[in-house]
Amino acid sequence: MLTPILSSASCSWTPTSQFPHSWHSSPSFLTKPLNLPFTESYKTAKRPTPNYSFKVQAMIEKEVAVSHKPDAFLRESDMGSNVTSNSSSVRGRFEKMRREAQDSVCLAIEKADGGAKFKEDVWSRPGGGGGHSSVLQDGAVFEKAGVNVSVVYGVMPPEAYRAARPTDNGNVKPGPIPFFAAGVSSVLHPKNPFAPTLHFNYRYFETDAPKDAPGAPRQWWFGGGTDFTPAYIFEEDVKHFHSVQKAACDKFDASFYPRFKKWCVDYFYIKHRDERRGLGGIFFDDFNDYDQEMLLSFSTECANSVIPAYIPIVEKRKDTPFTDKHKAWQQLRRGRYVEFNLVYDRGTTFGLKTGGRIESILVSLPLTARWEYDHKPEEGTEEWKLLDACINPKEWI
Amino acid sequence: MLTPILSSASCSWTPTSQFPHSWHSSPSFLTKPLNLPFTESYKTAKRPTPNYSFKVQAMIEKEVAVSHKPDAFLRESDMGSNVTSNSSSVRGRFEKMRREAQDSVCLAIEKADGGAKFKEDVWSRPGGGGGHSSVLQDGAVFEKAGVNVSVVYGVMPPEAYRAARPTDNGNVKPGPIPFFAAGVSSVLHPKNPFAPTLHFNYRYFETDAPKDAPGAPRQWWFGGGTDFTPAYIFEEDVKHFHSVQKAACDKFDASFYPRFKKWCVDYFYIKHRDERRGLGGIFFDDFNDYDQEMLLSFSTECANSVIPAYIPIVEKRKDTPFTDKHKAWQQLRRGRYVEFNLVYDRGTTFGLKTGGRIESILVSLPLTARWEYDHKPEEGTEEWKLLDACINPKEWI
């Protein structure tokens, strides 16, 4: 049974076309609208997002630190009792995927770092769900590397359900909609200014039928992406990174890479500077207009592509000699990373407002960052080339 | 004549009890409500803030760099033509005060730094007004020191006027309300971890009568404050700093210091961490319920108190020996400074949204900052004492 976990403080529910990309310990998916009823048709047209605005109860329950790392945060009672076996299976398999992604990325990072170990923090919430942050800090290769996983149970207000089904004319008045969500997210900041920062997150969301309307349609969606943020452009690195993303996408649909590359460019936009955070990758959200099994496989493929997309670049650049000038430029770009995450990232800003686990939310911030007044790279320099590519996004492959 | 300078993009007008504290190159005062008609009575009770919400045109005109520093950004035509001589005089004298504050603080900082010089950037807006940023970076004593002054002309939408005068029942329908605003703001970040960061800003706001209602009441208010942010507590420094603030306040009204000290504690609150940015000072806004001449004198007194409150502390601490551990703690507190400014500071967040001069808005950010995962100072240490004072604000004098 899905148990409500939300407590009483309220926050504004303002769905927009920019959905949260980050996955922390907070239910950032609450900022996205429900599109009920869900469709399982393959390649249906994208449905328009309903235009509504109302309040939700969105202060999340306080987490409790636990000393052991559970095999899964998914409760056994939710694996097959009052949900269909197919749904249970997707939940269960997504849980397995996010666990394997965390384990494999942490292993690969420790191996690349050559000595430092991840610190593990595990917590649970009395009402169900929990999270796990793995953080490696001040290693030989990585300044800060964090991998978060989180499972959240909660309820959506019935207004969300009604607003998303306007054709019912208010005749359907179910109770709160129970939901389940799970995800993995990570930000990896290397020390060497020629080795790029990497971010990825993959998440799965599912609603149950309202208790008093057991036959009502349920909803599910996938979201996620992998993007990277170099301080200097090595064209072979950028081509390699994007090629791996494209290969993962092309296994499923030729339209995915161009569509999700553009979405990534649009999302990681620092509006007040009119520049992107980095050199992109892929990003998708609110994604349920393909077969559910296919999208689980697609998300798994994307998560499995993180290591082959990123580790070879880090291995190649981690020992490149650099000067103080290179380091200062990397630190300035890290400052931009901070600006994006604190000002625009919907997962971060929502997490800060709703009382998520702050240390997990802000593990995405670099160990160190820099702001120089009115810094302008000289035209034609390597620094200028990076900035130009952030201002004028390019096709790399 | 006051000339409208606002262009066509819109943003949300959402006055709350927290008004902007910073003064940059953007009209952050647009986020505060007009309380019309203004009163000149001495010590009248604080009027309740009207509860309204509507849209304003609030994208500001693009600035143009200019090569010379003008004596004043106040247009001659606004010094006494179609405004009363008293109003003109307050504008003119506030302009003089903010210019003297900028000059004297810059001189004192250069003297304390012992070699580095401020870089000057001056700009104007074709529709009127302009600004001036003075920035000293990577000096011997100061990591980054910025002093901004700004003068803005604009119009408030007539809805603001009507909403603020509900007793008119909509019978008064004037055109847009011209306004004038001027201010000085500064953030000073020293290198030595035992020398505190200082922030101050003082600003003056005035509306003119609508063109089609020349007899309508006008409005004015003052805002500002001085607060400081040490990484380590030297009780004698904190007492000195607060004593100077109290002495400035007490010259005018015994209620000012306790009232504005509390306001400062409430404003500089990092909600997601449940801690204050620093050890406070004074803060006030929407301040017009005393005599206008008195409040001009009070603002001038506060601005003149910046140097005696701060420079002796910097002189005393700038050469104190320190370790990497002290520096890392200072950098962590600088990270908190960044969090407050980017997430909560209404002047900064409004400036980022409305297209102000970004480099002037973000000059408040430190040259360098740091985020360590789950850093918790050991109880009883000097770092813990500072954090405790940020979590549990104290009475220092």
Side-chain angles (χ1 to χ4, degrees):
Chain A
M1 192 186 77
L2 296 176
T3 310
I5 65 154
L6 304 183
S7 62
S8 63
S10 72
C11 79
S12 229
W13 169 285
T14 52
T16 75
S17 59
Q18 282 195 319
F19 299 137
H21 88 288
S22 287
W23 188 271
H24 309 296
S25 63
S26 65
S28 54
F29 44 81
L30 280 176
T31 58
K32 75 166 294 298
L34 287 175
N35 287 332
L36 297 172
F38 75 91
T39 57
E40 287 196 337
S41 61
Y42 194 75
K43 289 192 181 179
T44 55
K46 192 80 184 157
R47 291 181 306 283
T49 302
N51 181 18
Y52 51 90
S53 178
F54 46 83
K55 299 275 180 181
V56 288
Q57 304 296 308
M59 209 66 184
I60 67 170
E61 194 182 40
K62 187 71 187 162
E63 74 278 357
V64 179
V66 295
S67 56
H68 65 285
K69 179 179 165 183
D71 284 343
F73 291 104
L74 191 63
R75 294 180 299 213
E76 278 193 26
S77 59
D78 290 325
M79 292 294 283
S81 59
N82 62 345
V83 291
T84 69
S85 63
N86 176 53
S87 168
S88 167
S89 171
V90 172
R91 288 184 188 192
R93 283 181 288 152
F94 190 88
E95 257 282 270
K96 183 165 173 283
M97 183 277 271
R98 70 90 196 144
R99 199 165 59 239
E100 287 173 357
Q102 185 180 36
D103 289 347
S104 61
V105 168
C106 287
L107 267 175
I109 294 299
E110 284 184 352
K111 191 174 164 216
D113 199 81
K117 294 287 172 194
F118 277 87
K119 175 182 187 294
E120 313 275 342
D121 282 310
V122 185
W123 64 92
S124 68
R125 293 200 168 83
H132 177 190
S133 283
S134 303
V135 182
L136 181 156
Q137 197 165 266
D138 211 7
V141 172
F142 288 92
E143 183 182 281
K144 196 153 126 194
V147 188
N148 290 326
V149 300
S150 180
V151 169
V152 184
Y153 295 90
V155 289
M156 312 296 294
E159 290 80 1
Y161 188 91
R162 284 201 294 276
R165 302 191 69 198
T167 53
D168 284 337
N169 292 322
N171 292 328
V172 176
K173 289 178 182 164
I177 317 292
F179 69 78
F180 160 87
V184 55
S185 81
S186 175
V187 178
L188 312 170
H189 293 292
K191 288 186 164 173
N192 193 297
F194 299 115
T197 288
L198 184 97
H199 161 256
F200 73 89
N201 84 94
Y202 291 95
R203 54 193 182 274
Y204 174 66
F205 175 94
E206 195 179 272
T207 61
D208 207 347
K211 286 182 196 172
D212 50 0
R218 285 179 295 107
Q219 164 77 331
W220 56 266
W221 59 270
F222 291 88
T226 304
D227 70 287
F228 86 138
T229 307
Y232 289 94
I233 296 178
F234 293 90
E235 202 152 319
E236 65 187 88
D237 294 355
V238 189
K239 282 181 189 299
H240 166 77
F241 180 82
H242 276 273
S243 295
V244 175
Q245 307 310 316
K246 184 173 186 300
C249 290
D250 285 353
K251 284 186 187 172
F252 296 85
D253 193 298
S255 72
F256 281 7
Y257 174 73
R259 180 176 164 197
F260 300 154
K261 176 186 179 288
K262 181 179 183 307
W263 203 337
C264 191
V265 162
D266 293 343
Y267 181 77
F268 293 100
Y269 178 53
I270 305 172
K271 192 181 173 193
H272 59 266
R273 301 217 183 244
D274 191 21
E275 63 187 64
R276 280 83 204 160
R277 186 174 80 171
L279 299 188
I282 56 171
F283 180 89
F284 59 92
D285 204 347
D286 184 30
F287 198 37
N288 65 0
D289 46 4
Y290 286 74
D291 177 75
Q292 192 178 17
E293 287 293 328
M294 175 207 176
L295 293 187
L296 174 62
S297 298
F298 173 58
S299 296
T300 306
E301 181 70 26
C302 290
N304 289 342
S305 298
V306 167
I307 293 173
Y310 182 60
I311 295 294
I313 300 175
V314 170
E315 291 288 358
K316 204 189 297 179
R317 307 297 169 197
K318 68 182 183 181
D319 298 319
T320 307
F322 61 87
T323 66
D324 287 350
K325 189 185 138 224
H326 297 133
K327 188 69 186 172
W329 173 247
Q330 177 206 49
Q331 294 290 292
L332 281 179
R333 296 309 303 174
R334 295 261 158 96
R336 300 290 208 272
Y337 213 90
V338 171
E339 287 178 33
F340 178 83
N341 284 20
L342 291 181
V343 177
Y344 298 103
D345 182 66
R346 292 180 64 87
T348 303
T349 55
F350 189 83
L352 295 183
K353 281 177 189 153
T354 52
R357 185 175 183 266
I358 291 303
E359 291 300 330
S360 296
I361 294 168
L362 296 185
V363 74
S364 65
L365 300 183
L367 188 63
T368 52
R370 182 177 180 91
W371 284 268
E372 284 181 31
Y373 174 72
D374 209 19
H375 185 279
K376 292 192 183 83
E378 197 181 331
E379 192 166 335
T381 60
E382 292 304 312
E383 292 78 14
W384 179 87
K385 285 178 192 165
L386 184 279
L387 184 59
D388 180 59
C390 292
I391 293 170
N392 304 297
K394 301 185 190 325
E395 295 303 321
W396 296 101
I397 51 175
Chain B
M1 192 185 76
L2 297 175
T3 310
I5 65 154
L6 304 183
S7 62
S8 63
S10 72
C11 79
S12 230
W13 169 285
T14 52
T16 75
S17 59
Q18 282 195 319
F19 299 137
H21 88 288
S22 287
W23 188 272
H24 310 295
S25 63
S26 66
S28 53
F29 44 80
L30 280 176
T31 58
K32 75 166 294 298
L34 286 175
N35 287 331
L36 296 172
F38 74 91
T39 57
E40 287 196 337
S41 60
Y42 194 75
K43 289 191 180 180
T44 55
K46 191 81 184 156
R47 291 182 306 283
T49 302
N51 180 18
Y52 51 90
S53 178
F54 47 83
K55 299 274 178 182
V56 287
Q57 303 297 309
M59 208 66 184
I60 68 169
E61 195 182 39
K62 187 71 188 163
E63 74 278 358
V64 179
V66 295
S67 56
H68 66 285
K69 178 179 165 184
D71 284 343
F73 292 105
L74 192 63
R75 295 178 299 213
E76 277 192 26
S77 59
D78 290 325
M79 292 294 282
S81 59
N82 61 345
V83 291
T84 69
S85 62
N86 176 54
S87 167
S88 167
S89 171
V90 172
R91 289 184 188 192
R93 282 181 289 153
F94 190 88
E95 258 282 270
K96 183 165 173 284
M97 183 277 271
R98 69 90 195 144
R99 199 166 57 240
E100 287 173 357
Q102 185 181 35
D103 290 347
S104 61
V105 168
C106 288
L107 267 176
I109 294 300
E110 283 184 352
K111 192 174 164 215
D113 199 81
K117 294 286 171 192
F118 277 88
K119 175 183 186 294
E120 313 274 343
D121 282 310
V122 185
W123 64 92
S124 68
R125 293 200 168 83
H132 177 189
S133 284
S134 303
V135 183
L136 180 155
Q137 197 165 266
D138 211 7
V141 172
F142 287 92
E143 183 182 281
K144 196 153 128 194
V147 189
N148 290 327
V149 299
S150 181
V151 169
V152 184
Y153 295 90
V155 290
M156 311 296 294
E159 291 80 1
Y161 188 92
R162 284 200 294 276
R165 302 191 69 199
T167 53
D168 283 338
N169 291 322
N171 292 329
V172 177
K173 289 178 182 164
I177 318 291
F179 68 78
F180 160 87
V184 55
S185 80
S186 175
V187 178
L188 312 170
H189 293 292
K191 288 186 163 173
N192 193 298
F194 299 115
T197 287
L198 184 97
H199 161 257
F200 73 89
N201 85 94
Y202 290 96
R203 54 192 182 273
Y204 175 66
F205 176 94
E206 194 179 273
T207 61
D208 207 347
K211 286 182 196 171
D212 50 0
R218 286 179 293 106
Q219 164 77 332
W220 56 266
W221 60 270
F222 291 88
T226 304
D227 70 287
F228 86 137
T229 307
Y232 289 94
I233 297 178
F234 293 91
E235 202 152 320
E236 65 188 89
D237 294 355
V238 189
K239 283 181 188 300
H240 166 77
F241 180 81
H242 275 274
S243 295
V244 175
Q245 307 310 316
K246 183 173 186 299
C249 290
D250 285 354
K251 284 186 186 172
F252 296 86
D253 193 298
S255 73
F256 281 7
Y257 174 73
R259 180 177 163 197
F260 300 153
K261 176 186 180 289
K262 181 179 183 308
W263 203 337
C264 191
V265 163
D266 293 343
Y267 181 78
F268 293 100
Y269 179 53
I270 305 172
K271 192 181 173 192
H272 59 266
R273 301 214 183 248
D274 190 22
E275 62 186 65
R276 279 83 204 159
R277 185 174 81 171
L279 299 188
I282 56 171
F283 180 89
F284 59 92
D285 205 347
D286 184 30
F287 198 37
N288 64 0
D289 46 4
Y290 287 74
D291 177 74
Q292 192 178 18
E293 287 292 328
M294 175 207 175
L295 293 187
L296 174 61
S297 298
F298 173 59
S299 297
T300 306
E301 181 71 26
C302 290
N304 289 342
S305 298
V306 167
I307 293 173
Y310 181 59
I311 295 295
I313 299 175
V314 170
E315 291 287 358
K316 204 189 297 179
R317 307 297 169 198
K318 67 181 182 181
D319 298 319
T320 307
F322 61 87
T323 66
D324 288 349
K325 188 184 140 225
H326 297 132
K327 188 68 186 172
W329 173 246
Q330 177 206 49
Q331 294 291 293
L332 281 179
R333 296 309 303 174
R334 296 261 158 97
R336 300 290 208 271
Y337 213 90
V338 172
E339 288 178 33
F340 178 83
N341 284 20
L342 291 181
V343 177
Y344 299 103
D345 182 66
R346 292 181 63 88
T348 303
T349 55
F350 189 83
L352 295 183
K353 281 177 189 153
T354 52
R357 185 174 182 266
I358 291 303
E359 292 300 330
S360 296
I361 294 168
L362 296 185
V363 75
S364 65
L365 300 183
L367 188 63
T368 52
R370 182 177 180 90
W371 284 268
E372 284 181 31
Y373 174 72
D374 208 20
H375 184 280
K376 291 192 183 83
E378 197 181 331
E379 192 165 335
T381 61
E382 292 304 311
E383 291 79 14
W384 179 87
K385 285 178 192 164
L386 185 278
L387 184 59
D388 180 59
C390 292
I391 293 170
N392 305 297
K394 301 184 191 324
E395 296 303 321
W396 296 101
I397 51 175

